[in-house]
Amino acid sequence: MNYLFCDLDDTLFQSRRKTPDAAGVTIAAHGPDGLPNAFMTAGQRKAFDAMFGAMTLIPVTARDRDAYARVQLPRAPFAVIDHGGIILDAAGQPLPAWYERSAEHARQAQPWLEDLHREATQFLGEEGLSVTSRIIGDFDLPFYWLSKYREGHEQHLDRMERELIIPWVERRPHQAWIHRNGNNLAVLPRTLQKRHAVSFLLELLRQDDPTLVSWGMGDSLSDLPFIMECDYMIAPRRSQIATLVSEHAA
Ligand SMILES: [Mg+2]
């Protein structure tokens, strides 16, 4: 069997703002309000159909259960959601063994996630920045801290990243790591990474299929560790990963 471990947002599809206005654009996901909010170009749709005709898709996404449920995808045997915090089975239920592991790690991370949220909220108030601060959880577990800028205030998020978040994480190198891509600034426990869940699933799948071939596909630098668990890598041409590679391939 060939398995494609595949990131979703900005890999298979993207928001309306990032989708070129051209013929053949199709809907890929809906927002909580029921309106379409993610789209595939005709080229993405062709690539999608070719890959999923040849491989078994395993989505690997930061989306939570509800946001994942709003994506239009073929049925998958497993899905890695919440940045790796939860692995869903084919029926959409969390794998108990993985959930137990995540629950233990979430309990350990909760106090410092709450500290960070408090410090960020105070910083935003004092500096008057138009940026959100939230702890993101799912299935009753707190997973990570997330911040986004409001309409047009990207520099506010850049400033908080530089002045508060980077120094904060540098003081806790064994505990936390940063994911930043566009309007997502997240601080996650080291134990919460897509890579850990993909590695767990590969081991599980190899029990039945020792010669399986795995493909990893994603756009963000933070996808690289899980992609490197796989036999082959695929990345969109316009992505953090492609930019990194082009710097070395000139
Ligand atoms: Mg992505």
Side-chain angles (χ1 to χ4, degrees):
M1 286 278 268
N2 278 267
Y3 289 94
L4 176 63
F5 290 88
C6 190
D7 171 57
L8 301 179
D9 291 76
D10 296 326
T11 294
L12 289 183
F13 50 75
Q14 55 284 313
S15 64
R16 187 184 296 277
R17 186 177 59 80
K18 295 184 202 165
T19 304
D21 197 9
V25 168
T26 50
I27 295 167
H30 292 78
D33 54 6
L35 298 173
N37 73 347
F39 303 86
M40 272 186 189
T41 64
Q44 283 173 322
R45 179 65 64 180
K46 251 187 212 173
F48 181 91
D49 290 345
M51 288 186 293
F52 302 143
M55 297 187 246
T56 300
L57 166 71
I58 300 186
V60 183
T61 179
R63 284 174 176 254
D64 66 9
R65 169 177 45 180
D66 293 340
Y68 174 65
R70 294 194 302 266
V71 182
Q72 291 168 14
L73 285 174
R75 210 173 155 80
F78 296 104
V80 173
I81 62 170
D82 293 305
H83 269 291
I86 296 288
I87 300 175
L88 299 176
D89 65 15
Q93 294 304 312
L95 283 190
W98 192 253
Y99 185 87
E100 286 311 311
R101 175 201 177 276
S102 289
E104 178 57 31
H105 290 142
R107 265 192 292 275
Q108 288 166 12
Q110 187 160 16
W112 67 254
L113 285 171
E114 286 170 0
D115 284 347
L116 174 59
H117 174 57
R118 246 190 320 270
E119 281 186 45
T121 306
Q122 191 182 346
F123 183 83
L124 296 174
E126 284 169 4
E127 305 296 324
L129 303 181
S130 195
V131 166
T132 61
S133 167
R134 285 191 301 155
I135 294 173
I136 303 292
D138 205 6
F139 291 94
D140 297 324
L141 301 179
F143 280 129
Y144 61 96
W145 174 85
L146 179 69
S147 180
K148 286 175 179 279
Y149 61 81
R150 296 195 183 90
E151 201 77 7
H153 289 92
E154 187 162 7
Q155 283 154 357
H156 288 196
L157 190 63
D158 293 345
R159 197 172 142 215
M160 183 163 73
E161 179 180 13
R162 213 170 44 237
E163 294 180 20
L164 179 76
I165 299 306
I166 291 176
W168 198 93
V169 170
E170 277 175 353
R171 291 196 296 276
R172 296 164 183 81
H174 303 296
Q175 228 169 17
W177 65 284
I178 299 175
H179 161 75
R180 173 77 199 265
N181 196 350
N183 195 7
N184 277 298
L185 171 62
V187 176
L188 304 91
R190 287 255 165 220
T191 46
L192 185 67
Q193 290 188 45
K194 291 175 170 179
R195 171 171 66 98
H196 299 313
V198 168
S199 147
F200 174 87
L201 276 180
L202 279 170
E203 209 166 293
L204 189 73
L205 293 166
R206 282 200 186 103
Q207 288 171 11
D208 289 332
D209 183 2
T211 60
L212 71 82
V213 179
S214 55
W215 302 67
M217 179 167 172
D219 70 293
S220 291
L221 294 177
S222 62
D223 291 323
L224 274 173
F226 96 73
I227 291 173
M228 300 312 285
E229 294 284 323
C230 300
D231 296 311
Y232 293 92
M233 67 184 292
I234 310 174
R237 186 174 187 179
R238 281 183 194 80
S239 60
Q240 282 186 334
I241 292 177
T243 303
L244 177 75
V245 171
S246 68
E247 284 164 11
H248 294 272

